[in-house]
Amino acid sequence: MCTLEKRGRVLILTLTGSGEHRLGPGLISSLRSALATARSDPTVAALVTAGEGRFFSNGLDLAWAKNSSEGISTLVRLVKPLIADLISLPMPTVAAVTGHAAAAGMMLAVAHDYVYMRGDRGVLYMSELDIGLPFPDYFMDLMQAKITDPRTLRDVTLRAKKITGTEAKERGIVDKVCQSASETVAEAIKMAEELAGRNWDKGVYASIRLSVYPKLCKSLEIPQESDEAVRKHFASRL
């Protein structure tokens, strides 16, 4: 379902195969296990996430939900800690969006600190309006945190607009557009290597990221760092 490759201090997480990389229990578990590996390895200083084939991720596994007694609410519940894992990961993260990223797949992409996207193929698309599903609260909080232009947020949520890489760059959703999938991954790795080379304190990096998105962290139920913990960070530098 996914693989890990280490290049120096960068860990590359790849959703493997030619399928749609829909987020069902198996893939979610595999992704969370990979992120736990990144978190626990002291030699890893940055993460890149990419997808093989036409899709980065085409959202929740609706076929699984339809055929399961647990239904779609279970998938919504399972994706929540996956997004929380990314938002709290103590290192820079870069998404290499190498194909379509829809609904929960788009949420997976924008939960990274940086988003690189191929320009020759693929769209960002929140499909909930088209298929008749409301947004989970944490989806909306993530979009509000990452899509700061109100007209773009309107188009994504209330128009279900499919946004190409070039337009996503113009609207401030992605950081860089590349000509192909391979170039997107290569450029994302290059960026991750640059960030890893800064040798930032991991705990401080995570603490600052959490402070940037307080509403999102509350929605994701990520514990906020206490004043005492912040004071200890300062004290350790004196």
Side-chain angles (χ1 to χ4, degrees):
M1 290 185 177
C2 65
T3 61
L4 286 172
E5 177 189 356
K6 193 173 178 184
R7 295 191 191 179
R9 301 186 68 200
V10 174
L11 195 64
I12 304 164
L13 168 58
T14 304
L15 285 72
T16 57
S18 59
E20 296 184 14
H21 309 308
R22 285 190 173 268
L23 296 167
L27 180 54
I28 293 169
S29 177
S30 183
L31 288 170
R32 293 199 68 198
S33 177
L35 294 177
T37 297
R39 188 184 296 269
S40 64
D41 189 337
T43 67
V44 172
L47 173 83
V48 171
T49 304
E52 293 180 342
R54 293 179 55 228
F55 292 89
F56 178 78
S57 172
N58 203 21
L60 299 178
D61 190 341
L62 300 180
W64 179 91
K66 183 177 180 180
N67 295 318
S68 169
S69 59
E70 298 178 81
I72 195 169
S73 61
T74 295
L75 297 181
V76 170
R77 177 177 56 81
L78 291 175
V79 168
K80 185 176 180 178
L82 170 61
I83 300 299
D85 288 345
L86 276 168
I87 295 297
S88 63
L89 200 68
M91 64 190 68
T93 58
V94 187
V97 182
T98 46
H100 301 301
M106 179 175 168
M107 295 295 91
L108 179 65
V110 301
H112 291 72
D113 297 324
Y114 302 86
V115 182
Y116 282 28
M117 186 173 176
R118 65 187 292 182
D120 64 322
R121 184 189 220 174
V123 295
L124 301 178
Y125 170 44
M126 295 305 292
S127 59
E128 280 79 354
L129 188 62
D130 285 339
I131 63 177
L133 290 173
F135 290 118
D137 289 345
Y138 70 92
F139 275 33
M140 185 57 70
D141 289 337
L142 178 57
M143 284 187 282
Q144 289 175 337
K146 297 290 187 156
I147 303 174
T148 56
D149 175 58
R151 288 173 296 183
T152 298
L153 184 62
R154 175 204 63 198
D155 287 348
V156 168
T157 59
L158 296 176
R159 190 178 167 192
K161 181 175 175 58
K162 296 178 180 179
I163 301 178
T164 64
T166 299
E167 186 175 2
K169 174 67 166 60
E170 293 171 352
R171 288 173 174 255
I173 304 175
V174 307
D175 298 280
K176 187 169 185 177
V177 178
C178 304
Q179 293 185 354
S180 66
S182 59
E183 182 182 330
T184 303
V185 175
E187 289 296 309
I189 293 171
K190 182 178 178 181
M191 178 61 166
E193 289 172 341
E194 178 185 327
L195 295 167
R198 299 295 298 273
N199 293 316
W200 288 315
D201 181 285
K202 288 185 175 184
V204 171
Y205 190 90
S207 175
I208 291 175
R209 190 202 284 117
L210 296 181
S211 68
V212 171
Y213 306 118
K215 183 181 178 184
L216 174 61
C217 290
K218 184 177 181 180
S219 179
L220 292 170
E221 302 180 62
I222 300 173
Q224 291 294 291
E225 194 169 39
S226 67
D227 291 341
E228 178 62 27
V230 173
R231 282 195 292 271
K232 286 182 179 179
H233 278 306
F234 281 112
S236 68
R237 294 300 180 183
L238 297 178

